[in-house]
Amino acid sequence: MASLGIHNIRKIYPNGVEVLKGINLDIADGEFLILVGGSGCGKSTLLNMIAGLEPVTEGEITIGGKRVNDLPPKDRDIAMVFQSYALYPSMSVRQNIAFGLSLRKVPKAEQEATIARVAKLLQIEPLLDRKPAQLSGGQRQRVAMGRALAREPQIFLFDEPLSNLDAKLRVEMRSEIKLLHKRLGITTVYVTHDQIEAMTLGDKIAVMKDGVVQQFGTPDEIYNRPVNTFVAGFMGSPPMNLIPATLAINDGKLCAEVTVGPTGSKRVHLPLFGFDTSTLDTLTSTGSSVLLGLRPEHLTDTGRSNGMTANLTVPVDLAEPTGADTLIFITLGGARCIARLHPTAVAGRDEVELVVDTSAAVVFDRHTQEAIAFARV
Amino acid sequence: MNRAGRFLLYAALVSTAFYALAPMWVMLSTSLKTLDEIREGSLIAAPHAPTIEPWLKAWGTACSGVRCEGLKPFFLNSLLMTIPAVLISTLVGALNGYALTHWRFRGSDFLFTALLVGCFIPFQVVLLPMARLLGAVGISDSVFGLIFVHVVYGLAFTTLFFRNYYIGVPGELVKAARVDGAGFFTIFQRILLPISGPIFMVCVIWQFTQIWNDFLFGVVFAGSDSQPVTVALNNLVRTSTGVKEYNVDMAAAIIAALPTLLVYIVAGKYFVRGLTAGAVKG
Ligand SMILES: Nc1ncnc2c1ncn2[C@@H]1O[C@H](COP(=O)(O)OP(=O)(O)OP(=O)(O)O)[C@@H](O)[C@H]1O
Ligand SMILES: [Mg+2]
């Protein structure tokens, strides 16, 4: 077990493409780090560099406080699950799991015990004597997990280990990984595209885009205090609404002026509660146009109002029942927005009255797309 | 397809097969005839009273140049030269292909291009430099020299074969093995070799055919007692003392061609499979 430090890491592939542009991440011993970001943003590359499989162009990687830039993979004491499973095609499942153990000279009896333990955990006991070609995608993925879990390394590296499982197995495996991490307390770096995996598993989340970390923080920070519109749009499903608005003072209170409905003929002033007005003073004086970030659950029906809310009547463009909630599509500030309502609040109506929890809003600069003010502290 | 079309198709196939096999038949039937029957009968007729005398003579007593011991010693020379040369060039080619695809280094692409050029260098060009080199190393006129020449010349091809095969093997496979603690040779031996069966067959057949059938290197670099069977066959057919024994010549030619035929019959299906097979996924 060890802490992991990534300091000013850059990666330029031999073909001249700069894939990572100065990454800084520090996680403590036993922490669970989630890497999320669009396809091709460099997540696998970063994982490979931590593993020692790709040389570091610039910067420093430390494991347990010790610089490991020049250490080969086998001496870094890591275990990794690859995106493409990478099972050895000529070996049976049993041999796949045992390969790393036998190279590390683990005694035969201990190997057997480990294989039995891992196979039970991952429900692959009946598959032990099969070759990878005779397994389904999900089974291969579990074997790949098993190969990593057979060892107790300093650091686990997982590259989208659950992406090919069906929904049920995925939920099962997710809690299995969480339990395992709780029990073993091994430092873990985990790449995923799945919001729920990111929110439930991570102690820390790093959101990446084009080789740059956009935000590095706890799941709560990432979800409630996104530093820019990319992070706001990336985490959460459906994503945070970004409503074009103008800041103004109305009745002595700080408000966001927003047009309502597809035609945009109606204008309302939403009072912004809980904002530190001093940060916004300079902006309001110029009538500055901003993006008001509001999550769908903060645009909801009257049943859930509290003291810090504003009311708003909007025409419904489209309603999408999802079971527990109904999502409605509305137009605010000319942009398509989504509100999350109780199913009974919508049924057959053209217009609904929404309660807007502006105390959960984030104000973004419309040009730089950076967050300029948060309501909650 | 209608009946007429099908008939035409089969007619074309049968006549092509006949055209290809006719020389084989003439050689075989002639090699089983006595000289008298050859003189009197027609070329394509089956032998009246088949005899294996010409075969025995070609194998054991026919004169090739000044030696009258048949093809036997030269056939053994060829085996002694071909088997090690095929195995060495195939194995080294596999290692090269593995290094060029999964252990890229600065200049590896250039090296591969240079090797490719090696495939197009005609035999004649390397004759003189190679003769100097063999002389300098002290293995000219020996079977070792011949093996060396064939290994070097074959490497370009075997490397190309294996490189193109291994490039289809996912890089994460090698990475996973490195994380598991395996080194360069362990990965080659435990991960890549076990999935190289088809391309191995292609390489072995290709190299065996090339080396066994080679005449030029044999005639230039072999000593009088390390000559391969191809050179001996030429000498045997051209030795002109007394009457021309067509039956012995034919038998000798078939003997010289037999190993390549055998290799194709035994391993031919792997050849096609290996040429068309992609590498293993997952
Ligand atoms: N060996 C390489 N040589 C050159 N460029 C590469 C190499 N490997 C990856 N890249 C490029 O680096 C970028 C990042 O790749 P990477 O595999 O790290 O993305 P990723 O974030 O893991 O994406 P995904 O979510 O699709 O797995 C991509 O644009 C890719 O094309
Ligand atoms: Mg990836």
Side-chain angles (χ1 to χ4, degrees):
Chain A
M1 276 174 277
S3 61
L4 173 67
I6 294 164
H7 304 140
N8 297 314
I9 283 293
R10 288 177 68 218
K11 175 69 188 179
I12 301 175
Y13 276 112
N15 62 5
V17 185
E18 184 170 4
V19 175
L20 298 177
K21 304 168 183 165
I23 305 284
N24 281 292
L25 298 170
D26 264 294
I27 54 171
D29 184 7
E31 272 191 323
F32 201 115
L33 167 68
I34 300 272
L35 292 179
V36 292
S39 194
C41 72
K43 304 180 297 288
S44 299
T45 303
L46 183 58
L47 227 50
N48 275 320
M49 287 167 82
I50 299 172
L53 295 165
E54 280 290 347
V56 173
T57 309
E58 213 180 286
E60 186 185 62
I61 296 177
T62 61
I63 295 177
K66 199 173 118 243
R67 182 186 156 100
V68 295
N69 281 31
D70 303 314
L71 224 51
K74 69 176 164 55
D75 298 329
R76 295 194 186 192
D77 199 12
I78 42 155
M80 184 160 176
V81 176
F82 289 87
Q83 201 166 0
S84 67
Y85 330 125
L87 302 180
Y88 311 129
S90 61
M91 300 183 196
S92 69
V93 169
R94 186 189 302 279
Q95 290 165 326
N96 259 282
I97 298 174
F99 187 66
L101 299 175
S102 66
L103 285 176
R104 286 188 155 77
K105 309 236 168 359
V106 174
K108 260 269 166 338
E110 199 175 315
Q111 285 184 29
E112 291 298 324
T114 305
I115 293 170
R117 167 177 66 80
V118 168
K120 182 150 181 284
L121 177 70
L122 297 168
Q123 305 167 24
I124 50 174
E125 285 146 316
L127 313 175
L128 280 179
D129 293 310
R130 291 211 206 155
K131 293 276 173 68
Q134 303 161 322
L135 301 175
S136 74
Q139 291 169 332
R140 284 180 207 181
Q141 208 152 33
R142 275 181 285 157
V143 175
M145 285 286 293
R147 210 166 51 179
L149 296 182
R151 293 187 28 234
E152 288 198 9
Q154 299 270 341
I155 296 183
F156 275 130
L157 302 174
F158 293 127
D159 201 346
E160 303 190 31
L162 307 185
S163 57
N164 273 299
L165 303 186
D166 63 52
K168 180 170 165 286
L169 202 56
R170 197 176 177 135
V171 173
E172 260 175 56
M173 289 288 295
R174 197 209 304 148
S175 32
E176 210 54 72
I177 291 176
K178 186 155 187 155
L179 276 174
L180 206 75
H181 179 251
K182 216 169 190 169
R183 205 176 69 217
L184 300 175
I186 292 177
T187 314
T188 304
V189 183
Y190 187 108
V191 174
T192 180
H193 276 120
D194 188 306
Q195 321 272 337
I196 305 177
E197 268 172 42
M199 297 297 294
T200 54
L201 289 175
D203 293 317
K204 294 272 178 61
I205 299 179
V207 184
M208 290 173 62
K209 182 190 174 192
D210 298 337
V212 177
V213 173
Q214 303 291 311
Q215 187 171 5
F216 176 46
T218 63
D220 182 62
E221 282 166 351
I222 301 280
Y223 193 76
N224 292 315
R225 299 172 69 83
V227 297
N228 59 30
T229 54
F230 177 80
V231 177
F234 202 83
M235 293 304 285
S237 170
M240 183 180 265
N241 297 305
L242 298 170
I243 307 164
T246 311
L247 294 182
I249 304 289
N250 197 23
D251 287 345
K253 279 183 286 185
L254 179 66
C255 287
E257 192 181 332
V258 176
T259 63
V260 178
T263 56
S265 51
K266 191 174 130 195
R267 283 177 173 276
V268 295
H269 285 90
L270 295 173
L272 295 177
F273 296 102
F275 274 82
D276 176 6
T277 36
S278 64
T279 50
L280 294 169
D281 267 353
T282 45
L283 297 164
T284 50
S285 62
T286 58
S288 154
S289 56
V290 296
L291 291 172
L292 187 65
L294 272 170
R295 296 223 171 256
E297 60 268 31
H298 299 131
L299 285 168
T300 184
D301 53 283
T302 36
R304 301 182 190 172
S305 65
N306 66 27
M308 312 258 274
T309 53
N311 286 24
L312 181 65
T313 307
V314 290
V316 177
D317 297 345
L318 182 75
E320 247 184 19
T322 64
D325 297 311
T326 294
L327 302 177
I328 62 164
F329 292 70
I330 54 181
T331 310
L332 291 176
R336 160 72 37 88
C337 296
I338 298 173
R340 191 191 290 273
L341 275 70
H342 194 263
T344 53
V346 198
R349 274 179 242 185
D350 297 339
E351 245 185 20
V352 290
E353 186 173 23
L354 293 180
V355 173
V356 184
D357 183 2
T358 53
S359 69
V362 182
V363 179
F364 297 97
D365 185 302
R366 209 189 291 191
H367 299 292
T368 64
Q369 307 276 309
E370 303 287 330
I372 46 181
F374 304 99
R376 288 175 182 161
V377 181
Chain B
M1 204 186 296
N2 59 30
R3 285 173 70 101
R6 191 172 292 264
F7 177 79
L8 270 178
L9 180 70
Y10 278 104
L13 287 175
V14 167
S15 59
T16 313
F18 179 79
Y19 191 76
L21 288 175
M24 277 294 294
W25 165 249
V26 170
M27 283 178 75
L28 192 66
S29 71
T30 307
S31 75
L32 294 171
K33 291 173 184 171
T34 61
L35 270 180
D36 287 343
E37 192 183 340
I38 293 173
R39 258 179 243 116
E40 287 154 17
S42 97
L43 194 61
I44 54 168
H48 292 305
T51 165
I52 58 162
E53 269 315 308
W55 283 75
L56 293 178
K57 186 166 183 196
W59 179 250
T61 60
C63 293
S64 146
V66 288
R67 286 172 74 179
C68 290
E69 302 162 40
L71 284 184
K72 186 173 149 194
F74 305 101
F75 192 91
L76 292 180
N77 281 347
S78 270
L79 278 183
L80 271 178
M81 161 191 85
T82 306
I83 291 173
V86 168
L87 291 183
I88 295 172
S89 61
T90 302
L91 265 177
V92 177
L95 262 177
N96 283 352
Y98 164 58
L100 284 173
T101 47
H102 291 284
W103 296 80
R104 298 291 195 89
F105 47 91
R106 185 179 284 275
S108 59
D109 284 335
F110 171 78
L111 200 70
F112 178 61
T113 316
L115 264 169
L116 268 187
V117 174
C119 295
F120 302 109
I121 294 180
F123 277 28
Q124 295 83 334
V125 174
V126 300
L127 286 183
L128 281 176
M130 191 57 89
R132 296 283 310 257
L133 181 68
L134 293 184
V137 182
I139 50 173
S140 48
D141 289 355
S142 77
V143 73
F144 300 108
L146 264 184
I147 292 174
F148 179 77
V149 172
H150 281 300
V151 168
V152 168
Y153 199 84
L155 270 184
F157 294 92
T158 55
T159 302
L160 174 68
F161 285 143
F162 277 98
R163 186 261 182 199
N164 285 353
Y165 188 76
Y166 287 152
I167 200 131
V169 174
E172 292 200 337
L173 214 54
V174 173
K175 289 180 175 173
R178 285 174 65 195
V179 169
D180 266 343
F184 182 88
F185 285 105
T186 312
I187 296 175
F188 179 61
Q189 191 195 334
R190 302 274 303 272
I191 313 286
L192 282 147
L193 272 191
I195 56 173
S196 305
I199 199 65
F200 234 89
M201 282 301 178
V202 171
C203 244
V204 165
I205 293 176
W206 172 269
Q207 281 297 86
F208 191 93
T209 316
Q210 292 292 313
I211 298 175
W212 184 274
N213 287 344
D214 164 70
F215 181 79
L216 188 59
F217 284 162
V219 101
V220 174
F221 296 124
S224 56
D225 44 342
S226 61
Q227 274 175 350
V229 73
T230 44
V231 177
L233 174 66
N234 177 59
N235 293 345
L236 184 144
V237 173
R238 293 161 56 97
T239 301
S240 50
T241 47
V243 287
K244 191 109 187 96
E245 296 176 296
Y246 290 109
N247 49 1
V248 176
D249 293 353
M250 293 298 179
I254 295 176
I255 289 172
L258 218 49
T260 7
L261 281 176
L262 264 178
V263 166
Y264 271 102
I265 290 167
V266 172
K269 66 177 177 192
Y270 297 104
F271 189 69
V272 178
R273 217 181 278 166
L275 283 181
T276 53
V280 202
K281 277 268 175 334

